[in-house]
Amino acid sequence: MIRQRLAILGSTGSIGASTLDVVARHPDRYEVVVLSAGSRVEPMLAQCAQFRPRFAVMADEGAARELQARVAAEGLPTAVLGGDAALDQLVVRQDVDAVMAAIVGAAGLSSCLAAARAGKRLLLANKEALVVGGELFLQAVREGGATLLPIDSEHSAIFQSLPEDPASWDERVDKIILTASGGPFRRRAPESLREVTPEQACAHPNWVMGRKISVDSATMMNKALEVIEARYLFGLPPERLQVVIHPQSVIHSMVQYRDHSVVAQLGTPDMRVPIAYGLAWPERIASGAEPLDFTALADMSFESLDSHGHRERFPGLQLAWDALRAPAGTTAVLNAANEEAVAAFLDRRIRFDRIHAVNLATLERVQPSKPQALADLLALDALARQAARAAIARFG
C-alpha cells in the first residue's frame, strides 16, 4: 500500500493531536511529512520524536529557534522552520498529498489557499478559510482541482448524508439542519451571562476543544460560523440552513430531502470520527473512538431556537444569516471582530456578554467592498480588528 503523505497544520491543538492519534493507528497508510504549531515547543518536540516528520514549522520565531536546538540535541531528522510564510511553501511540495488545516482563526487562511491552488487533498478543520475566504477560497479549490473534505463534525455529518453528486443537491435537498449542543449555558438565565468567567465558558459539557472554540460554543458563535461555512461548502441559500439545539451531541447534523425524509449521521462526540473519515475518504478506517451504544443512550432531545429563551441567550447566532445576506466581505468582518472579542474576554478585558456587543459595533463600523484577492481579505481583516479593538476599549 502506498502511504498518504500528510502535512498537519496546527498539530499541537486538539484537532491536530486527534489527527495524529488516528494516524498512529494506521502506520501502513499514512506518513507525516510536515507538522506546524504556534509556539508550544514541548508537545511539538514530542511529536517530532514520535512521527519524525521531514519539516516542523513554528509560527513564533523564538519557538522555532528553541525547537531547532532541541531537535538537533536529540538527533532527530526534522528540519525546523520559523514563520507562517514557511507553511505556504511546504504545503505545495510534491511529497505532500494531503493537508490537515487545523490552525485556529484567520491565521490559517494563506496556507489553506496555497494548498487549494496546488490541488491537494484538503481536510478543512479551519472554518475561517471559508468564513473569511468565501468565494475566493472556493475559486482556488476549483482552479487548483483540490479535493475539499470538511472535518468539523457537523459539516462532515452533512457531507456523509448528502447525495454523492453535488450537482443534485439543490434539486434533491430541502434543507440542511445543523445540530448544536447549546454549550455550557444552554439553560442559564440570559441576564446572568455577564458574570461568566473564562473558566466556565471553556468547560464544554460534551466536547474537548481549545479555549477559543470553547468560548465560541458558549456564545454559539461557533454555530454562526458553521452556518456560514455550510453556505459555502454546500451551496444552499441561507434560508435553507437551519439550526436546532441537540444537547446530547449524538446526531451531528442532518439533511432533509424534498420528500421530507431525513438522513442523519450519528456517533459519539469524538473528533477522531470525522478526522478518520476525511483521511480515508471514500473508504473508512478505525478511528479509535468508542462505538455508539444505543442501549445506554439517554433520551435524545431537540429544542427550537425560539424556545427556552435561546435567541436572547445566544444573540450572535442570527449574525450568520445577516452577514450572508450583506455585501461580500461581511463574514470576514464578523470573524475578525469575534476573534478579537473572544481574545479580550479570555484576557478578562471584557465581560462575556460584551462579545456580541463588540461584534455588532464592528459590523456597524466597517463597510466592506468585495474582496478580489488575498491582499484585500487581509486588509479587510486588519481594518475589522482595528475597529473591534476600539470597541473593546469602550466596553472594557
Side-chain angles (χ1 to χ4, degrees):
M1 177 183 294
I2 298 176
R3 294 197 296 173
Q4 190 177 152
R5 298 167 295 184
L6 305 175
I8 302 175
L9 313 186
S11 65
T12 62
S14 61
I15 297 295
S18 293
T19 302
L20 289 172
D21 181 87
V22 175
V23 167
R25 297 170 188 275
H26 302 277
D28 58 323
R29 297 184 66 110
Y30 303 107
E31 174 189 357
V32 178
V33 177
V34 179
L35 294 175
S36 88
S39 60
R40 300 176 63 203
V41 172
E42 287 298 334
M44 175 59 87
L45 182 64
Q47 290 176 355
C48 289
Q50 180 177 358
F51 295 96
R52 305 177 78 83
R54 299 177 200 178
F55 300 95
V57 180
M58 304 298 287
D60 182 87
E61 298 279 1
R65 289 190 291 272
E66 181 182 349
L67 179 65
Q68 186 173 35
R70 300 281 297 277
V71 162
E74 297 198 15
L76 298 175
T78 302
V80 178
L81 304 175
D84 290 328
L87 286 182
D88 294 5
Q89 302 169 12
L90 292 179
V91 297
V92 304
R93 288 175 58 94
Q94 289 187 347
D95 57 357
V96 171
D97 303 313
V99 176
M100 169 60 77
I103 297 174
V104 175
L109 177 59
S110 180
S111 54
C112 282
L113 280 168
R117 293 191 184 106
K120 302 298 183 181
R121 183 187 183 102
L122 184 53
L123 283 61
L124 192 64
N126 173 290
K127 60 175 59 69
E128 290 81 6
L130 281 163
V131 173
V132 178
E135 289 297 335
L136 276 177
F137 180 71
L138 292 179
Q139 180 180 352
V141 170
R142 290 191 297 268
E143 292 178 353
T147 300
L148 184 61
L149 296 166
I151 299 301
D152 269 356
S153 61
E154 295 83 359
H155 301 93
S156 176
I158 294 163
F159 184 69
Q160 295 179 58
S161 302
L162 283 166
E164 290 187 6
D165 179 15
S168 72
W169 291 351
D170 182 62
E171 180 181 355
R172 296 176 63 186
V173 172
D174 183 29
K175 63 182 175 181
I176 284 171
I177 305 169
L178 292 99
T179 56
S181 71
F185 308 134
R186 179 174 62 89
R187 289 297 177 87
R188 183 157 173 161
E191 62 272 14
S192 74
L193 293 176
R194 61 181 291 149
E195 309 299 335
V196 165
T197 67
E199 292 75 20
Q200 291 170 328
C202 290
H204 196 281
N206 298 339
W207 296 93
V208 177
M209 303 181 294
R211 282 164 60 81
K212 194 270 182 182
I213 192 172
S214 293
V215 175
D216 282 345
S217 180
T219 63
M220 278 192 66
M221 272 303 300
N222 72 317
K223 207 55 53 177
L225 299 177
E226 287 169 10
V227 168
I228 295 168
E229 186 181 6
R231 166 70 181 95
Y232 288 117
L233 275 172
F234 307 118
L236 296 187
E239 59 270 17
R240 288 163 65 185
L241 304 174
Q242 181 183 348
V243 172
V244 298
I245 305 288
H246 171 48
Q248 295 81 17
S249 297
V250 172
I251 296 178
H252 298 303
S253 278
M254 300 170 272
V255 173
Q256 180 173 298
Y257 283 80
R258 293 293 190 182
D259 60 1
H260 289 177
S261 62
V262 177
V263 176
Q265 187 266 335
L266 287 71
T268 52
D270 189 322
M271 283 305 300
R272 290 177 296 178
V273 175
I275 288 168
Y277 181 77
L279 283 169
W281 181 87
E283 300 176 37
R284 290 187 184 259
I285 58 173
S287 67
E290 290 295 321
L292 189 62
D293 182 358
F294 285 93
T295 65
L297 281 180
D299 292 338
M300 289 192 290
S301 60
F302 302 89
E303 300 168 6
S304 163
L305 295 180
D306 294 317
S307 66
H308 304 289
H310 288 322
R311 290 196 184 275
E312 183 182 0
R313 187 177 293 108
F314 305 120
L317 183 56
Q318 180 58 40
L319 295 179
W321 289 272
D322 295 343
L324 284 170
R325 295 182 177 114
T330 302
T331 57
V333 174
L334 174 59
N335 179 76
N338 186 63
E339 285 190 16
E340 292 291 328
V342 170
F345 166 69
L346 288 171
D347 290 342
R348 304 179 195 275
R349 289 183 283 126
I350 60 171
R351 299 195 317 248
F352 179 82
D353 61 329
R354 294 297 198 189
I355 294 173
H356 179 59
V358 169
N359 291 343
L360 276 181
T362 306
L363 288 169
E364 291 171 357
R365 183 72 179 270
V366 179
Q367 303 298 318
S369 55
K370 184 177 181 180
Q372 302 293 330
L374 176 60
D376 298 333
L377 287 173
L378 295 178
L380 181 58
D381 180 80
L383 183 63
R385 290 177 189 276
Q386 182 180 20
R389 287 192 286 266
I392 289 165
R394 294 198 304 273
F395 293 129

